[in-house]
Amino acid sequence: MLITELQFKDELLKTIIDNAFHCVVVVDINGIITYLNQAYCDFIKVDQQESVGRHVTDVIENTRMHIVARTGKEEIADLQFIEGNYMIADRLPIRQAGKVVGAVGTVTFRDTEEWRTMNSHIKNLLTELEYYRSVQEENTGAKYSLHDIVGSSSEVKVLKERIKKVAASDVSVLIRGESGTGKELFAHSIHQLSERSNKPFIKVNCGAIPEHLLESELFGYEEGAFTGAKRGGKLGKFQLADGGTIFLDEIGDMPLHMQVKLLRVLQDREVEAVGSVRPVKVDVRVIAATNKPLEKMVEEQRFREDLFYRINVIQVNIPPLRDRPEDIKELSRHFLAKINKRSGRRILGLQEDVAGLFDSHNWPGNARELENVIEAAVHLCHGERITKDALPDYLKEVSVLSLGKRSLKEIMEETEKRVLQAALREHHGDRLKTAKTLGIGKTSLYDKLKKYGVE
């Protein structure tokens, strides 16, 4: 049989690729392997014929080929850990008539002393970097940086730029935003970008500490100050934060008598431990956060006006998720990757109808609610994508209101009733948490529940 010129060229090309120093893999748009060269098979110890037709993640560890095939975004010179070594991987989408139909990937593999030296160097650098990260976190308490804040909306970009400017100074910052918007992440970021980044970052949740313990927690106590006092006394959060930053979360929940003592500390830059007669100087930057209307609380004399102005030197307002819907997809991908890694699942994304539901939902719990919804859905879904039946019931309900002949008041009341029901479901009937999430008082919540007959 005569071998045609085309067959000869195909066979020649296959022979060259199979015996190349580079590992080569080709996948279709669904991440199924359509070709794997012999060099790659030898490296990862798999059979070439058995590998073709399988999903790439079942054959190659830590691969991202299926992601490139899906997104159409190339990835050049990416580090990939395979068979105990860090390799350099290039991944390129394959297009036909302008449409992505798959992806081709190459991994640099040369069994030379030079490669082994470089690989060893990379491992050493990554190990060293991880060590310094863990030491930094252990010493300072700050876990997050500006890079951990996910979102590419104009609102988030403006906010990040503001954080960079604010961080350099030493003034007090008040972070405001609804529950679940990520106020703590911004507080960490301010500290990490400041001159105090190598000093402690101490967080205090003013609403979580019992009122009778708050003073000793903040300012410490001397030995014998009260029954049960620890031998040798105890340093307070302000003393522990000396030289660094103290983050006063939920400052709107601080009782009035403690507000007076906090104001004195901020004015005099010194603290007096419980049972002590001698104040101690502290050098602390204060970042406070709240989801409460402090101005209204000042009017109602539930928050001191002088303290408000003391902590509100620079204000950072974090917009709710409903005001930046373009961040929902990016946050969804981020949370999905995080939950996949933690749970060991391999969920590739959201079905289109689920993405549509996410875009139309009001997200009263903001990014925290979105993460909780995705985490629950990951454990409940059966395929590779999150489907509608894996979502909580309240998300599946029709959110479009039929106007009919109803008045504006009737429409608003129906909307308020639905929000109350959704918030109660989210917090499993916990009314205190529901009131906190909605930014209303407990009495106000009970009145509304009674009004609408919500149980």
Side-chain angles (χ1 to χ4, degrees), residues 26-68:
V26 181
V27 300
D28 65 15
I29 196 166
N30 296 313
I32 303 300
I33 296 174
T34 58
Y35 177 75
L36 191 70
N37 78 333
Q38 194 57 50
Y40 216 150
C41 293
D42 293 343
F43 179 45
I44 59 176
K45 302 176 183 65
V46 297
D47 183 87
Q48 194 175 34
Q49 288 185 335
E50 289 179 1
S51 300
V52 173
R54 296 174 64 189
H55 196 276
V56 66
T57 56
D58 295 331
V59 179
I60 303 171
E61 63 179 314
N62 301 311
T63 183
R64 289 177 53 83
M65 288 294 296
H66 56 301
I67 297 171
V68 172

Side-chain angles (χ1 to χ4, degrees), residues 321 325 328-329 332 350-364 369-370 373 386-400:
L321 197 52
I328 293 172
K329 284 182 182 176
S332 298
L350 316 175
Q351 292 276 32
E352 280 188 26
D353 57 345
V354 172
L357 273 175
F358 280 13
D359 287 340
S360 61
H361 184 55
N362 202 41
W363 298 111
E369 181 189 358
L370 176 61
V373 166
I386 291 175
T387 53
K388 196 173 176 180
D389 59 353
L391 299 178
D393 290 338
Y394 75 88
L395 267 177
K396 291 183 263 188
E397 291 174 0
V398 179
S399 58
V400 180

Side-chain angles (χ1 to χ4, degrees), residues 337-392:
K338 178 180 165 184
I339 294 160
N340 274 339
K341 187 176 180 181
R342 190 167 65 226
S343 65
R345 300 292 303 275
R346 187 174 67 86
I347 308 301
L348 302 181
L350 316 175
Q351 292 276 32
E352 280 188 26
D353 57 345
V354 172
L357 273 175
F358 280 13
D359 287 340
S360 61
H361 184 55
N362 202 41
W363 298 111
N366 293 290
R368 187 185 295 126
E369 181 189 358
L370 176 61
E371 183 175 9
N372 291 343
V373 166
I374 291 174
E375 182 158 20
V378 163
H379 291 285
L380 291 173
C381 72
H382 302 291
E384 290 188 333
R385 292 187 175 273
I386 291 175
T387 53
K388 196 173 176 180
D389 59 353
L391 299 178

Side-chain angles (χ1 to χ4, degrees), residues 1 47 75 79 106 110-111 288 292 295 327 339 366 395:
M1 182 187 287
D47 183 87
E75 297 179 356
L79 279 180
T106 62
R110 294 177 186 269
D111 191 17
K292 295 196 170 181
E295 292 88 349
D327 287 336
I339 294 160
N366 293 290
L395 267 177

Side-chain angles (χ1 to χ4, degrees), residues 121-133:
H121 182 58
I122 290 169
K123 280 182 176 178
N124 185 54
L125 286 175
L126 289 173
T127 304
E128 193 174 338
L129 179 61
E130 189 58 38
Y131 168 75
Y132 283 122
R133 276 181 177 168

Side-chain angles (χ1 to χ4, degrees), residues 46-243:
V46 297
D47 183 87
Q48 194 175 34
Q49 288 185 335
E50 289 179 1
S51 300
V52 173
R54 296 174 64 189
H55 196 276
V56 66
T57 56
D58 295 331
V59 179
I60 303 171
E61 63 179 314
N62 301 311
T63 183
R64 289 177 53 83
M65 288 294 296
H66 56 301
I67 297 171
V68 172
R70 188 177 75 247
T71 63
K73 294 179 181 178
E74 66 177 38
E75 297 179 356
I76 304 297
D78 185 35
L79 279 180
Q80 184 175 343
F81 191 75
I82 310 175
E83 293 289 314
N85 291 298
Y86 283 98
M87 316 299 290
I88 297 174
D90 293 333
R91 309 178 189 99
L92 299 167
I94 301 171
R95 289 184 169 83
Q96 191 171 29
K99 185 180 178 182
V100 177
V101 294
V104 58
T106 62
V107 171
T108 301
F109 174 66
R110 294 177 186 269
D111 191 17
T112 64
E113 191 62 37
E114 182 182 353
W115 169 250
R116 284 195 291 270
T117 302
M118 185 173 74
N119 183 53
S120 177
H121 182 58
I122 290 169
K123 280 182 176 178
N124 185 54
L125 286 175
L126 289 173
T127 304
E128 193 174 338
L129 179 61
E130 189 58 38
Y131 168 75
Y132 283 122
R133 276 181 177 168
S134 62
V135 169
Q136 173 85 348
E137 184 180 325
E138 188 179 333
N139 288 343
T140 68
K143 299 178 184 177
Y144 311 108
S145 69
L146 213 55
H147 299 292
D148 294 303
I149 298 170
V150 178
S152 54
S153 63
S154 57
E155 291 88 348
V156 169
K157 287 177 181 175
V158 168
L159 207 51
K160 285 185 176 183
E161 288 304 313
R162 185 169 175 79
I163 291 297
K164 289 176 187 176
K165 292 175 184 176
V166 165
S169 66
D170 224 14
V171 296
S172 299
V173 179
L174 177 61
I175 303 174
R176 308 187 75 163
E178 294 179 7
S179 179
T181 49
K183 295 186 288 295
E184 186 175 344
L185 263 68
F186 284 92
H188 280 254
S189 301
I190 293 170
H191 175 77
Q192 295 278 39
L193 289 170
S194 73
E195 294 295 321
R196 298 172 177 262
S197 59
N198 291 321
K199 297 295 183 179
F201 176 88
I202 304 295
K203 178 191 171 185
V204 181
N205 189 324
C206 301
I209 302 171
E211 191 172 325
H212 66 283
L213 295 178
L214 192 54
E215 183 176 1
S216 59
E217 280 294 312
L218 285 177
F219 311 133
Y221 58 80
E222 294 288 317
E223 182 178 338
F226 49 83
T227 304
K230 196 184 291 184
R231 189 174 180 180
K234 179 186 174 183
L235 293 176
K237 303 295 187 186
F238 270 88
Q239 293 99 314
L240 292 172
D242 191 28

